[in-house]
Amino acid sequence: MAKRENDLGRDPIGPLLLRLAVPTVTAQLVNALYNIVDRMYIGHIAGVGDLALTGLGVCFPVIMFVSAISALVGMGGGSRAVVRMGEGRTEEANAILGSCSALLILLSVLVTVGFQLVKEPMLLLFGATENTITYAVDYLTIYLWGTIFVEISLGLNFFITSQGFSTISMATVLIGAIINIVLDPIFIFGFHMGVKGAALATITAQAVSAVWVLRFLTGKRTKLRLQRRYFRIKPRVLAPVLALGVSPFIMNATESLVNIAFNSSLKAYGGDAAVGAMTICSSVMQVFFLLLQGIAQGAQPIIGFNYGAGNLDRVKKTYRLLLISALSFSCTVWAALELFPGAFVALFNDKPALVDLAVWTLRVYAGGMFILGIQTACQQTFVALGQAKISLFLALLRKIILLIPLIYILPPFFSNKVLAVFLAEPAADILAATTTGLMFLWQFPRILRRRGEELEHLREKGATT
């Protein structure tokens, strides 16, 4: 049996969570750098940086959708596999890994071909204009050819994290990000490739990360191992995986719909400048939201494994520590963004008009960040516990039920339409987090009680046989 870096069932929870969360937070930060660094370099291209940055922002819905697929299959599969490992059913966990790998490759091909065929009209629908469409098409054309590398490196990395190999999963992202950061200025400025160079640097980096993941999951250290006999699409195996993964999928995929709604509204009310400000605001918030997810992902293996093993006290202790950590982080970030928005905006562009607009819109856009720690801790705990239906509802609540309608409902009530559009984000954040927290207080004790009854029934059944 391969040795784990961490004993999810016995190590002290505080140090264990720290050991798992630091690498996952680092990995999420570095993962954000893939697109953030692109935007930082592109935004400073002489003469056309603002238009090129806006064009790249229009591609964001597609980029998020590609990432959402990796969450659908990878996070759903990883969460289910770790419960099976906690129950001692390793072969079933390996079957989950094999089927998820086959599905990720199939979906990669479908997404690449489909989006390549409709990219230009799609980007115009997403908010591109005659000034920005060229930059958007140039970036997306190259980025889509690397979809398979994105899905493998991000999707299968969840199976590394779920085993407790958090430093290996961090290295997956770190390797790719370093390559991307090094190649970006070479391709963009050295070879004068502009946005095409940024896309090429990104997919090259993801390809190296994908090779790293595949080598580990076929190596000797891993307990979950890619095996040819399991490499097939089996509906019986994948159905519960997709049911569980649909919540993180919606969380990521709805970012695409939200971005479309924001860009189309802002294009109508404020033109390219407003869309550019939105690109900066969403880029800043993406970094901190991914860090928040990283904290939760550090706790998920502990919660899922101990829930499967029946160590319910460890589940409760891990959740409490996760909530305190996530809420402290979200409040700190909120304070920084409200007090020093200019420092974050300056990373992406230096044109006075765009900077001035982005500074005050960032303050509005980040207004509900303080409460997102509750939203993330509760929702990701539901995922770790295998509560697919609840997770799905909460994922739909924040973006589909609240945010997208508010983007269109609020502007008629404000003279400043751009302000109204940006105000939809904090309004949705506060309402969704409050609802999620109340639902968790109601459901969490019931979920643990039912699990305790299941375990007691199994013990009684075992004693009588």
Side-chain angles (χ1 to χ4, degrees):
M1 180 181 296
K3 185 181 184 299
R4 293 204 190 169
E5 290 186 342
N6 300 292
D7 190 328
L8 301 176
R10 290 181 294 183
D11 286 352
I13 290 174
L16 177 61
L17 178 57
L18 183 63
R19 290 197 303 273
L20 291 175
V22 168
T24 54
V25 168
T26 304
Q28 288 288 18
L29 174 61
V30 175
N31 184 36
L33 291 177
Y34 273 112
N35 295 315
I36 300 303
V37 170
D38 285 349
R39 295 171 200 179
M40 290 169 64
Y41 280 121
I42 288 172
H44 289 90
I45 295 176
V48 297
D50 54 338
L51 294 177
L53 178 64
T54 302
L56 181 56
V58 173
C59 298
F60 188 68
V62 179
I63 295 170
M64 288 305 301
F65 184 79
V66 171
S67 297
I69 291 175
S70 70
L72 169 68
V73 181
M75 189 176 291
S79 298
R80 187 163 175 81
V82 74
V83 173
R84 291 292 172 267
M85 290 170 65
E87 295 171 342
R89 297 153 69 179
T90 305
E91 285 304 302
E92 290 186 29
N94 281 324
I96 292 171
L97 171 60
S99 287
C100 287
S101 302
L103 182 59
L104 280 171
I105 292 174
L106 174 62
L107 292 176
S108 298
V109 174
L110 295 176
V111 167
T112 300
V113 174
F115 282 158
Q116 288 285 15
L117 292 174
V118 300
K119 62 192 172 192
E120 187 163 346
M122 177 177 64
L123 290 169
L124 290 170
L125 179 66
F126 291 174
T129 66
E130 61 180 11
N131 297 322
T132 60
I133 186 64
T134 300
Y135 303 106
V137 169
D138 284 349
Y139 185 88
L140 191 61
T141 299
I142 295 176
Y143 180 85
L144 285 173
W145 293 120
T147 298
I148 190 169
F149 304 132
V150 177
E151 302 300 1
I152 291 174
S153 61
L154 294 183
L156 296 188
N157 205 36
F158 286 112
F159 288 90
I160 297 176
T161 304
S162 68
Q163 299 178 72
F165 289 108
S166 52
T167 55
I168 300 297
S169 65
M170 177 185 69
T172 301
V173 186
L174 188 61
I175 290 168
I178 291 173
I179 293 172
N180 188 44
I181 292 169
V182 171
L183 292 181
D184 256 336
I186 295 173
F187 289 166
I188 294 172
F189 302 111
F191 293 161
H192 306 288
M193 294 179 66
V195 294
K196 293 181 180 178
L200 183 59
T202 297
I203 66 170
T204 301
Q206 291 284 16
V208 176
S209 294
V211 171
W212 169 268
V213 168
L214 291 174
R215 287 196 63 181
F216 181 81
L217 289 175
T218 54
K220 295 181 178 179
R221 293 185 65 192
T222 180
K223 186 176 181 181
L224 287 173
R225 183 171 287 105
L226 275 172
Q227 301 174 48
R228 184 178 300 176
R229 61 186 171 130
Y230 292 128
F231 191 75
R232 63 194 66 181
I233 294 176
K234 299 181 70 173
R236 181 178 59 83
V237 173
L238 290 171
V241 166
L242 298 179
L244 187 56
V246 73
S247 171
F249 170 78
I250 288 176
M251 288 176 63
N252 286 273
T254 50
E255 285 291 342
S256 300
L257 297 178
V258 167
N259 200 261
I260 294 167
F262 269 124
N263 285 348
S264 60
S265 295
L266 291 171
K267 182 173 73 171
Y269 296 130
D272 287 337
V275 176
M278 180 65 208
T279 301
I280 293 173
C281 292
S282 62
S283 298
V284 173
M285 287 291 285
Q286 180 190 9
V287 173
F288 291 118
F289 188 72
L290 285 173
L291 293 178
L292 196 55
Q293 282 191 317
I295 296 172
Q297 286 177 10
Q300 276 185 316
I302 309 173
I303 293 173
F305 182 91
N306 286 286
Y307 181 73
N311 300 324
L312 301 185
D313 284 341
R314 285 178 65 83
V315 172
K316 289 186 283 187
K317 290 177 182 177
T318 304
Y319 164 72
R320 285 196 292 267
L321 187 55
L322 168 61
L323 178 63
I324 293 170
S325 302
L327 190 57
S328 299
F329 177 81
S330 63
C331 288
T332 301
V333 170
W334 170 78
L337 293 176
E338 295 299 322
L339 293 172
F340 312 108
F344 298 97
V345 172
L347 295 173
F348 295 91
N349 197 260
D350 55 6
K351 287 195 173 183
L354 180 56
V355 169
D356 290 344
L357 179 61
V359 164
W360 71 259
T361 54
L362 179 58
R363 277 200 174 105
V364 175
Y365 190 73
M369 180 71 194
F370 68 94
I371 203 171
L372 285 184
I374 296 175
Q375 171 83 20
T376 302
C378 295
Q379 187 166 343
Q380 295 303 316
T381 298
F382 277 134
V383 172
L385 296 174
Q387 301 299 308
K389 292 181 180 179
I390 297 175
S391 300
L392 174 59
F393 168 73
L394 295 176
L396 289 170
L397 175 66
R398 180 167 169 253
K399 298 296 176 69
I400 301 297
I401 298 174
L402 293 173
L403 181 53
I404 292 179
L406 285 171
I407 290 172
Y408 297 105
I409 290 171
L410 292 179
F413 296 95
F414 291 79
S415 58
N416 187 333
K417 308 298 184 184
V418 172
L419 168 65
V421 173
F422 278 95
L423 193 60
E425 177 76 20
D429 289 344
I430 293 170
L431 290 171
T434 302
T435 303
T436 300
L438 292 174
M439 181 170 288
F440 192 87
L441 287 174
W442 174 42
Q443 286 291 332
F444 187 54
R446 289 167 172 78
I447 293 168
L448 296 186
R449 185 169 63 249
R450 286 196 299 268
R451 181 59 176 165
E453 291 170 355
E454 290 173 4
L455 294 169
E456 182 63 28
H457 176 71
L458 290 173
R459 283 193 291 267
E460 291 175 355
K461 186 177 178 180
T464 57
T465 58

